[in-house]
Amino acid sequence: ETGVTQTPRHLVMGMTNKKSLKCEQHLGHNAMYWYKQSAKKPLELMFVYSLEERVENNSVPSRFSPECPNSSHLFLHLHTLQPEDSALYLCASSHPTTAVTGEQFFGPGTRLTVL
Amino acid sequence: AQSVTQLDSQVPVFEEAPVELRCNYSSSVSVYLFWYVQYPNQGLQLLLKYLSGSTLVKGINGFEAEFNKSQTSFHLRKPSVHISDTAEYFCAVIVSGSARQLTFGSGTQLTVLP
């Protein structure tokens, strides 16, 4: 248990649906991240938020829309996804003193299946 | 840009045997190195990290790794594995002083057999 929670743990959606993934941490961290984990591929960093401001967007398609309303919550809004977007989506957070050294705390992930 | 190569995608090993999971990185600048472990249906958990100082780093659950700058490697070892060590292991690198941009390898699935 790392203190980072994600809901839902599993999600099945059609290509025309709109859904949201939620991430929550109460560890006092000020940076939050979305990663995509596909089978047999390295983790792909999607978005980074620091102090509720988006600081990185790694060429992610616009059908993924992040939102960070405060330093404890991070959302990933999904719409008109494609089957190749099926993956495990991981949320992570980092503390101000460990962010520079790279230590991040991960949630359990949301297993997304797009039909 | 840096990259991380984990040479073995799958490593089967018998219980109580030693294991080494290999990791090589490429970077022209100073880096910090990490090993994360992912148990089934869970997120990633930090196993150990190298920031500076001694090149032999000890982590949780009896794992250790050695930083070799000349060979740009950071191999993970355990002298005697347990069934509970079955998991996926990820090597990661970050450029020193560059916050947030962790680069991960593609992972090594360690399966411990009885």
Side-chain angles (χ1 to χ4, degrees), chain A residues 91-105:
Chain A
C91 173
S93 67
S94 63
H95 188 274
T97 59
T98 56
V100 174
T101 59
E103 182 171 356
Q104 297 177 14
F105 294 77

Side-chain angles (χ1 to χ4, degrees), chain B residues 83-100:
Chain B
I83 297 286
S84 59
D85 292 322
T86 294
E88 187 140 25
Y89 292 79
F90 293 92
C91 184
V93 62
I94 190 169
V95 173
S96 303
S98 164
R100 296 183 283 275

Side-chain angles (χ1 to χ4, degrees), chain B residues 24-109:
Chain B
N24 287 87
Y25 68 94
S26 65
S27 176
S28 59
V29 297
S30 180
V31 296
Y32 300 137
L33 295 154
F34 305 82
W35 276 98
Y36 280 84
V37 59
Q38 185 177 31
Y39 298 104
N41 301 313
Q42 295 186 30
L44 277 67
Q45 178 183 355
L46 183 66
L47 203 56
L48 50 78
K49 60 186 175 185
Y50 171 79
L51 304 180
S52 64
S54 173
T55 57
L56 184 63
V57 180
K58 293 189 183 298
I60 61 172
N61 301 338
F63 283 92
E64 63 181 31
E66 185 157 20
F67 170 56
N68 188 318
K69 188 174 181 179
S70 62
Q71 298 186 5
T72 60
S73 68
F74 190 54
H75 301 333
L76 181 70
R77 302 186 184 100
K78 186 170 182 178
S80 175
V81 294
H82 303 289
I83 297 286
S84 59
D85 292 322
T86 294
E88 187 140 25
Y89 292 79
F90 293 92
C91 184
V93 62
I94 190 169
V95 173
S96 303
S98 164
R100 296 183 283 275
Q101 189 66 288
L102 267 175
T103 300
F104 285 87
S106 53
T108 297
Q109 174 64 44

Side-chain angles (χ1 to χ4, degrees), chain A residues 4-102:
Chain A
V4 180
T5 59
Q6 290 187 244
T7 54
R9 294 292 307 276
H10 300 272
L11 178 63
V12 179
M13 59 188 289
M15 289 191 284
T16 59
N17 293 157
K18 291 184 179 181
K19 297 287 185 183
S20 295
L21 310 185
K22 179 182 177 182
C23 175
E24 188 171 351
Q25 59 88 10
H26 295 286
L27 301 171
H29 295 174
N30 71 348
M32 297 186 78
Y33 315 76
W34 279 118
Y35 287 89
K36 177 183 179 182
Q37 185 179 23
S38 304
K40 306 304 179 187
K41 293 175 66 176
L43 268 73
E44 300 171 52
L45 179 63
M46 300 174 72
F47 301 104
V48 181
Y49 276 82
S50 178
L51 296 172
E52 300 155 39
E53 181 180 338
R54 190 190 313 178
V55 295
E56 283 200 42
N57 175 346
N58 281 353
S59 304
V60 179
S62 59
R63 56 185 184 269
F64 295 91
S65 174
E67 179 190 2
C68 188
N70 54 62
S71 60
S72 298
H73 295 86
L74 183 66
F75 294 90
L76 188 63
H77 303 300
L78 317 170
H79 64 97
T80 59
L81 295 191
Q82 304 298 309
E84 60 264 29
D85 296 322
S86 298
L88 182 67
Y89 288 85
L90 292 166
C91 173
S93 67
S94 63
H95 188 274
T97 59
T98 56
V100 174
T101 59

